[in-house]
Amino acid sequence: MSSRVDAQGFNTRAIHAGQEPDPATGAVIPPLHLTTTYKQDGVGGLRGGYEYSRSANPTRDTLQTALAALEQGTRGFAFASGLAAEDTLLRTVCRPGDSIVLGGDAYGGTYRLISKVLEPWGISHQPVDLNDLDAVRAAVAPETTRVVWCETPSNPLLNISDIAALAEIAHSSGTLLVVDNTFASPYLQQPLTLGADVVVHSTTKYLGGHSDVVGGALVVSDAELGERLAYHQNAMGAVAGPFDSWLVLRSLKTLGVRVERHSANAGRIAEWLLEHPAVGDVLYPGLPQHRNHDIAAKQMSGFGGMLSFRLRGGEEAALRVCERTSLFTLAESLGGVESLIEHPHRMTHASAAGSPLEVPADLVRLSVGIEDVEDLLADLEGALGTH
């Protein structure tokens, strides 16, 4: 990334990084290259290095350049899903006999990938409360631990981990710190600047932002790790298609303004929920009552559009709330312009049931959209009723 791009503001980079007008036509939007293969000028005479779209595609390359610019890394990689990105990363850096230190409330899909897919191949894991830095130090074994895996804010309990502190612990043992930055987005947090080695995204969420594309991404700073990931991205083949890449590129241009509205709405709703008699606890890092609010304020420029809350009436009350909303659509996923509601215990995190990562049954998760906040509050008021 050039120093000129480094010096530009986030929204400028989101609109322009890697997205110069098309030299052939002057089109200001990057072209969509729906091709699988490329004409060669003689055997091995590649034009721009392109030969086959699994290995490289101009539209995907443009997205990867933009992602690296937004996360202030040196190299970005786009995948067919967030889990495809995670799988490629872990099979790049881990071998049988290695271990992963996993945050105690990681996304259910991440837990399933590590515990059900990778563990039978000899890669173990240890769930740890990442807020207990002494426990993290004790869990990291220099001989075998290859990754400390962190989500901050975490899904769905909105825990906040100190990225800089975790990086120091990981690096003292020669271990990589991987940060899933999906909930925050690079607009609010850039983990590489705080010492992380790899940033993971489900681009399906805030980066895509319109609930119309599934994708994933990795961004790194280290050139050697980038080369290894590039090899495995091609060899394993779970790449983002050109149209999916183009959709995410389109959405990156408005990421900043969207996340501003998501965050403002979520903050209002969190404060309102605090006062509701049916609600026992509100989990939102923007609230001063949040146990790691100070860390969030230090490493984030805002607090995001995700929040969870617990119902005093238990699981049945949580289920009723999920069924009663109208503007908040009952659905999995998050980060789109529309508001969503879900019951993690039975939906997104069902795969963690019975494990140390099991989430409370009385928990409701909200992905707060960019609708008018008064309408969202009215919807929640009707759904909560008198529990």
Side-chain angles (χ1 to χ4, degrees):
M1 197 171 17
S2 71
S3 58
R4 182 179 69 85
V5 172
D6 283 338
Q8 292 173 340
F10 182 91
N11 290 305
T12 302
R13 283 179 280 137
I15 294 169
H16 293 288
Q19 303 178 64
E20 297 296 327
D22 180 54
T25 66
V28 298
I29 299 299
L32 172 56
H33 291 271
L34 291 173
T35 186
T36 60
T37 192
Y38 305 83
K39 182 182 186 299
Q40 298 188 17
D41 298 318
V43 176
L46 307 183
R47 300 184 185 184
Y50 295 104
E51 59 179 346
Y52 185 60
S53 277
R54 171 173 40 78
S55 302
N57 176 279
T59 310
R60 187 170 75 243
D61 285 350
T62 300
L63 172 60
Q64 293 177 155
T65 298
L67 291 169
L70 296 185
E71 284 288 4
Q72 300 191 52
T74 59
R75 198 159 182 182
F77 304 91
F79 293 86
S81 70
L83 282 169
E86 294 183 12
D87 184 37
T88 302
L89 169 63
L90 291 174
R91 286 203 276 168
T92 299
V93 301
C94 295
R95 297 291 181 269
D98 290 343
S99 64
I100 299 165
V101 170
L102 182 64
D105 66 327
Y107 165 54
T110 301
Y111 173 75
R112 182 177 58 228
L113 171 67
I114 293 172
S115 66
K116 304 299 184 183
V117 178
L118 296 181
E119 192 165 283
W121 290 92
I123 299 172
S124 62
H125 72 283
Q126 183 175 353
V128 175
D129 179 359
L130 297 182
N131 295 127
D132 185 344
L133 296 181
D134 288 335
V136 177
R137 288 188 189 93
V140 174
E143 302 83 12
T144 59
T145 304
R146 296 292 170 258
V147 169
V148 174
W149 191 282
C150 167
E151 293 178 15
T152 183
S154 68
N155 181 9
L157 298 180
L158 281 298
N159 282 321
I160 299 294
S161 300
D162 189 327
I163 296 172
L166 290 174
E168 183 177 350
I169 294 170
H171 295 162
S172 68
S173 298
T175 300
L176 296 174
L177 174 63
V178 176
V179 176
D180 186 332
N181 203 29
T182 297
F183 266 32
S185 89
Y187 182 68
L188 299 180
Q189 179 174 266
Q190 296 89 43
L192 296 178
T193 68
L194 299 170
D197 299 287
V198 186
V199 170
V200 177
H201 280 283
S202 169
T203 58
T204 310
K205 312 306 193 295
Y206 286 104
L207 299 186
H210 295 79
S211 301
D212 58 6
V213 59
V214 174
L218 302 172
V219 182
V220 300
S221 290
D222 181 71
E224 190 273 335
L225 178 56
E227 285 297 319
R228 293 167 63 197
L229 286 170
Y231 179 87
H232 282 79
Q233 181 191 39
N234 179 52
M236 295 171 67
V239 297
F243 187 55
D244 292 346
S245 298
W246 188 89
L247 286 172
V248 177
L249 267 171
R250 167 214 60 182
S251 300
L252 290 182
K253 295 176 184 293
T254 60
L255 177 62
V257 293
R258 285 187 286 108
V259 171
E260 287 278 0
R261 180 63 173 260
H262 285 295
S263 299
N265 282 357
R268 281 281 307 278
I269 290 171
E271 292 171 353
W272 181 85
L273 287 169
L274 272 180
E275 304 300 322
H276 199 285
V279 176
D281 195 13
V282 181
L283 309 177
Y284 183 66
L287 294 173
Q289 298 92 328
H290 189 283
R291 66 169 180 165
N292 282 327
H293 171 75
D294 290 346
I295 296 174
K298 177 183 69 173
Q299 67 189 23
M300 302 173 71
S301 60
F303 303 107
M306 298 301 300
L307 66 89
S308 295
F309 60 97
R310 301 182 70 173
L311 276 298
R312 296 187 188 277
E315 182 175 13
E316 290 305 313
L319 292 172
R320 286 196 299 271
V321 169
C322 290
E323 293 166 357
R324 288 178 176 178
T325 57
S326 56
L327 289 180
F328 281 88
T329 300
L330 179 61
E332 298 191 2
S333 198
L334 59 102
V337 293
E338 66 288 316
S339 293
L340 303 178
I341 189 170
E342 69 120 356
H343 186 255
H345 183 75
R346 295 199 184 190
M347 294 171 67
T348 53
H349 289 67
S351 62
S355 79
L357 278 71
E358 183 172 14
V359 299
D362 60 1
L363 188 77
V364 172
R365 190 189 76 180
L366 301 181
S367 173
V368 180
I370 65 173
E371 302 95 337
D372 292 302
V373 70
E374 296 300 333
D375 295 328
L376 296 176
L377 290 170
D379 191 33
L380 289 171
E381 186 171 21
L384 282 163
T386 55
H387 287 268

